[in-house]
Amino acid sequence: LVLRRVLFGLPPSLHECVYRDQPVSDEVRNATSEHLSSILGALRAFFDSSSLGEFLPRLDLLWTFSQQLVAEGAQLHSPIEDQQTSSLVNRYRQQLMHMVHNMCKLYVQHVPAVENAIRAVRLPMEKDIKSYVKIVKWKDTNYAAMKDSADKTHRAMFKFVQTYQKAMAEPVAVHFVQLKTGFEFLTNTYAVDALREELQDWV
């Protein structure tokens, strides 16, 4: 819900311009470019801080938002009367749409490595569980013996689950492959200045 509000909302200063019919100032342009930069940093942290087990669901989630942004962007017709404000809002949404889409394209390159890491944890554990199930005895007719056997099985299964959960909770970043990208540009001060200049050119 928080992620959706960030991606589909407007920066506070731009929101004020739209709903209070205020003119676009240099301060608003600067705040808008800095807001885009902060979203980029937050999205990178969203993935880089993920656990191994959460990475693929997080990527699916952001990809869904990306497709919604693309769909809405294709039908975008701002009803805002002020031309400068309307232009800034539309450009902001277009920039955000491309940013989120490119972020998904960047991190989807890590999917094979992440899937291999998950498989490396799951397959040996599946083999151990199957082997354990084969040696478990359930033919006892004595209640105490059956209860003891059930308790041992529960403890064994609990250990398997704990081991799997611990492995899935490990940081996913250690499994990221080294990729040559240009995204580092968008995390430095120069990038913020470049975005600010671009926003000034928009209006």
Side-chain angles (χ1 to χ4, degrees):
L1 181 58
V2 174
L3 181 62
R4 192 182 193 285
R5 287 178 178 175
V6 170
L7 295 181
F8 292 94
L10 293 175
S13 57
L14 187 55
H15 184 276
E16 290 292 313
C17 287
V18 172
Y19 291 97
R20 293 191 178 183
D21 196 24
Q22 296 177 346
V24 174
S25 63
D26 290 339
E27 182 180 354
V28 172
R29 296 188 188 96
N30 294 341
T32 301
S33 64
E34 290 171 0
H35 185 77
L36 282 169
S37 182
S38 67
I39 290 178
L40 179 67
L43 290 177
R44 295 203 67 167
F46 181 66
F47 288 116
D48 292 343
S49 64
S50 173
S51 65
L52 179 61
E54 290 181 348
F55 177 77
L56 295 179
R58 289 189 183 194
L59 184 58
D60 286 340
L61 176 64
L62 191 65
W63 179 253
T64 300
F65 283 140
S66 172
Q67 295 306 296
Q68 186 172 348
L69 284 169
V70 170
E72 292 183 356
Q75 304 174 5
L76 186 60
H77 299 287
S78 175
I80 303 170
E81 294 183 2
D82 183 81
Q83 185 175 1
Q84 286 191 342
T85 304
S86 177
S87 176
L88 185 58
V89 169
N90 289 341
R91 292 287 185 173
Y92 167 78
R93 289 176 175 171
Q94 290 173 12
Q95 185 77 8
L96 180 63
M97 175 183 67
H98 292 304
M99 180 188 297
V100 174
H101 182 70
N102 288 335
M103 184 66 69
C104 290
K105 290 176 65 178
L106 171 67
Y107 279 91
V108 77
Q109 298 175 80
H110 296 300
V111 168
V114 172
E115 289 180 336
N116 287 338
I118 294 175
R119 193 178 298 112
V121 173
R122 189 186 68 247
L123 293 182
M125 192 169 297
E126 287 180 353
K127 183 178 180 180
D128 290 342
I129 292 175
K130 291 178 181 178
S131 298
Y132 179 81
V133 170
K134 290 179 180 179
I135 64 174
V136 173
K137 296 181 179 180
W138 293 96
K139 297 182 180 180
D140 296 297
T141 56
N142 182 279
Y143 172 78
M146 291 185 64
K147 183 178 183 303
D148 182 62
S149 180
D151 290 341
K152 289 181 179 179
T153 301
H154 290 162
R155 287 194 294 269
M157 292 299 106
F158 181 72
K159 288 181 180 180
F160 284 129
V161 171
Q162 275 191 320
T163 301
Y164 185 75
Q165 289 178 336
K166 183 178 179 180
M168 292 299 100
E170 292 182 355
V172 71
V174 299
H175 302 288
F176 285 169
V177 295
Q178 295 297 321
L179 302 174
K180 294 182 179 180
T181 70
F183 264 63
E184 290 73 13
F185 165 79
L186 294 173
T187 61
N188 57 33
T189 304
Y190 176 71
V192 176
D193 293 338
L195 286 171
R196 182 181 297 114
E197 291 177 2
E198 185 176 356
L199 285 169
Q200 290 174 346
D201 293 340
W202 287 347
V203 295

